[in-house]
Amino acid sequence: HVCALSDAGGLWCWGANGGALGDGTTLERTVPVQVVGMDSHVSAVATGYGHSCALKDDGTVWCWGNNTSGQLGDGSLVNRLQPVAVSGLGMAATSISAGYAHTCARLSDASLRCWGLNTNGQLGDGSMQSNSSPVAVSGLGGSTSGVAAGYAHTCAALNNGAVRCWGSNVYAQLGDGTLMDRATPVSVQGMNTGVTSLATGGVHTCATQSDN
């Protein structure tokens, strides 16, 4: 499925629909439909495999769709056909990213919170226990400038230009020179400074540096 923001800050989605389109139905849509309650003031959107999340101008995060692993962050495992507020963030969010069945948000104090599936440690809280409410990512070693969630791993860019990653590492997507899953962030080799942006695919990660 795909979601897009309009110039007016409204949110529209289309494609497969087990609830991820947020229009209150499970009907597949071949043209965009508006997400319920998201007609304005949406600043960012993130799509996972079967769920979607939106960041609003006031710093709140809203999610909808599949919730069997708690990826909607509302404290339940109930699937939702329209947006529900993520509970327990504690402060305004500034950016969001969604993986296969987990979601992460960067908060206004530059810390990270993640929720949902955690069988590979992709929430970064030191456990491999899934959580339907946000948990703090531990051991980042600095404040963050961005977050990117892959299929079952997550990476963060730090304000000092370094990169840390955690979660599944079966394809070396954490960049730490091993194939070991990590439940807390590890340093990406050769990425200790100068990183300006970060992106994750399903099972790989890329970064740009200040020398372009």
Side-chain angles (χ1 to χ4, degrees):
H1 71 290
V2 184
C3 294
L5 290 176
S6 72
D7 289 341
L11 186 58
W12 300 72
C13 299
W14 60 97
N17 189 18
L21 303 190
D23 66 339
T25 78
T26 56
L27 297 174
E28 183 173 308
R29 304 290 189 174
T30 58
V31 295
V33 290
Q34 191 159 56
V35 179
V36 173
M38 296 286 159
D39 55 348
S40 62
H41 301 295
V42 179
S43 56
V45 61
T47 54
Y49 178 76
H51 76 292
S52 306
C53 295
L55 173 63
K56 301 203 77 174
D57 291 345
D58 62 2
T60 58
V61 180
W62 299 74
C63 297
W64 57 95
N66 187 287
N67 197 29
T68 53
S69 299
Q71 57 264 52
L72 303 190
D74 67 341
S76 81
L77 299 178
V78 178
N79 296 342
R80 306 290 186 177
L81 300 183
Q82 58 190 51
V84 291
V86 174
S87 59
L89 282 174
M91 66 186 70
T94 59
S95 64
I96 54 175
S97 186
Y100 171 77
H102 76 290
T103 314
C104 294
R106 179 185 182 271
L107 304 185
S108 56
D109 67 352
S111 66
L112 296 183
R113 300 288 187 276
C114 297
W115 57 95
L117 189 66
N118 196 32
T119 52
N120 298 98
Q122 56 263 53
L123 300 189
D125 67 340
S127 79
M128 292 194 179
Q129 179 178 338
S130 299
N131 208 308
S132 60
S133 297
V135 294
V137 176
S138 60
L140 278 170
S143 56
T144 65
S145 59
V147 60
Y151 180 86
H153 78 291
T154 313
C155 293
L158 303 187
N159 282 329
N160 63 8
V163 180
R164 303 285 187 273
C165 295
W166 57 96
S168 175
N169 200 25
V170 65
Y171 294 104
Q173 58 264 51
L174 303 189
D176 68 339
T178 79
L179 299 177
M180 295 174 56
D181 289 359
R182 305 288 188 173
T184 54
V186 291
S187 297
V188 176
Q189 290 187 2
M191 294 280 151
N192 295 317
T193 186
V195 171
T196 57
S197 65
L198 186 66
T200 49
V203 291
H204 73 291
T205 312
C206 293
T208 59
Q209 293 189 296
S210 55
D211 63 359
N212 295 315

